[in-house]
Amino acid sequence: MIDLLRSGLPLQFDEESRVMNFIGSLVPVEPDVRRLSRSRDFYRDPQALGPEELYFMYRGVSQLWDIPLFENQELRYDITVVFPGKIGQECLRTIGHYHPACLASQRGLTFPEVYEVLAGVATYYLQRMNQDGSVADVAVMEAHPGEKCLIPPGYGHITINARREVLVMANLIERNFASRYQDFQQKRGPAYYGEYSTKGVRFVPNGNYGAVPPLRRIQPSEDQAAGITFGAPLYEAFLRSPDTFRYLVNPDQYPQDWEEVLANP
Ligand SMILES: [Fe+2]
């Protein structure tokens, strides 16, 4: 049993039965299951062997009494369970997506998102494209329980589970938009594939992208003004100061410069 108290919520995930226990006044949520048989276009080798169940997405997790707050703030809190394993040579990962542009943004920015690791280790892969279809930037961050990753506007993102244990993470996001999957589908995944190796993840360029810039390794970092601290669960940070997260609904309201977010070495 994986205790997910780190989320600030009475949650447990039973690895044996693959059931999430929503305890007390938590509203039970049925997961959307991402299956390999329906996702083969997103991986390098469409014939690759791998587990059929890749990851579970529990969308809209909350305490009963917090539902109106999430609705009023136009945000949603989700939990994702990513199983360990391989798809061919690739580490098991999410299929990846981009977010659409936020209509309220004067600058045409796409919606950002905040991730938080609850159990296991996440490797967050982010990539941004140029207008001409070339790859502008690729950044990779390894994050451990309690650490958070702010996905800035413009970045497509994938979560890799490169460990032999279950990865559980939370995210906070604008609740009404639909993600865009076709870009990663057409290229059969990201600009770099994360392969298993004895030294951890080995990133190998995806030939469907042409020339790719060097992959940058970045570290998780706190961002107090954006409500991102490693000491407090994301759920609690949101309850304590909902308006701090307005930038998730309109990225123009981010208190700092978006360019700085992935800039750390
Ligand atoms: Fe996302």
Side-chain angles (χ1 to χ4, degrees):
M1 190 74 79
I2 303 173
D3 199 334
L4 300 172
L5 269 179
R6 184 181 285 277
S7 65
L9 297 169
L11 272 171
Q12 294 173 332
F13 185 73
D14 185 336
E15 288 178 90
E16 291 283 309
S17 61
R18 297 197 160 181
V19 169
M20 185 73 79
N21 295 321
F22 295 86
I23 299 163
S25 301
L26 272 179
V27 182
V29 177
E30 281 300 313
D32 289 333
V33 180
R34 185 72 69 196
R35 299 180 186 282
L36 179 57
S37 57
R38 295 187 189 172
S39 315
R40 290 193 163 278
D41 294 354
F42 291 85
Y43 298 96
R44 179 168 52 191
D45 175 6
Q47 318 292 336
L49 294 176
E52 171 61 4
E53 291 183 342
L54 302 175
Y55 49 100
F56 290 177
M57 297 164 279
Y58 300 85
R59 294 192 171 104
V61 175
S62 90
Q63 295 279 18
L64 188 58
W65 49 80
D66 295 330
I67 291 175
L69 179 64
F70 280 104
E71 287 179 353
N72 291 337
Q73 295 290 328
E74 301 170 273
L75 293 176
R76 198 183 68 222
Y77 177 88
D78 309 322
I79 304 258
T80 304
V81 176
V82 186
F83 298 106
K86 290 164 71 176
I87 302 160
Q89 294 303 308
E90 284 191 77
C91 302
L92 201 151
R93 60 168 171 84
T94 61
I95 60 174
H97 60 251
Y98 290 82
H99 297 166
C102 168
L103 293 178
S105 167
Q106 305 277 324
R107 297 153 61 195
L109 298 176
T110 66
F111 290 102
E113 181 170 12
V114 183
Y115 280 104
E116 172 184 46
V117 178
L118 301 177
V121 180
T123 302
Y124 291 114
Y125 170 99
L126 297 87
Q127 74 176 37
R128 184 168 56 82
M129 304 297 285
N130 291 313
Q131 296 280 9
D132 66 3
S134 60
V135 184
D137 187 29
V138 177
V140 168
M141 174 194 293
E142 184 176 290
H144 293 252
E147 293 178 331
K148 296 168 183 67
C149 178
L150 175 56
I151 311 286
Y155 279 82
H157 42 284
I158 283 175
T159 307
I160 300 168
N161 184 359
R163 302 296 179 105
R164 294 174 192 280
E165 56 193 340
V166 172
L167 162 65
V168 186
M169 61 185 185
N171 66 270
L172 190 61
I173 194 167
E174 201 272 348
R175 64 186 292 127
N176 298 311
F177 74 79
S179 291
R180 292 173 36 222
Y181 296 93
Q182 63 270 28
D183 298 35
F184 281 122
Q185 189 172 24
Q186 283 164 5
K187 301 280 192 190
R188 292 202 176 283
Y192 284 87
Y193 291 118
E195 290 185 342
Y196 262 112
S197 84
T198 49
K199 295 175 194 155
V201 195
R202 180 176 55 216
F203 286 96
V204 181
N206 173 349
N208 298 323
Y209 282 85
V212 287
L215 180 147
R216 299 189 297 121
R217 302 260 184 186
I218 56 173
Q219 301 296 322
S221 62
E222 297 190 310
D223 185 343
Q224 301 269 356
I228 296 172
T229 58
F230 299 164
L234 185 57
Y235 193 97
E236 285 181 11
F238 169 69
L239 287 192
R240 198 163 50 231
S241 181
D243 288 339
T244 300
F245 293 92
R246 288 309 292 165
Y247 65 90
L248 294 175
V249 174
N250 183 349
D252 293 355
Q253 294 182 26
Y254 181 60
Q256 273 116 242
D257 185 351
W258 281 116
E259 306 291 317
E260 305 284 308
V261 170
L262 302 178
N264 71 81

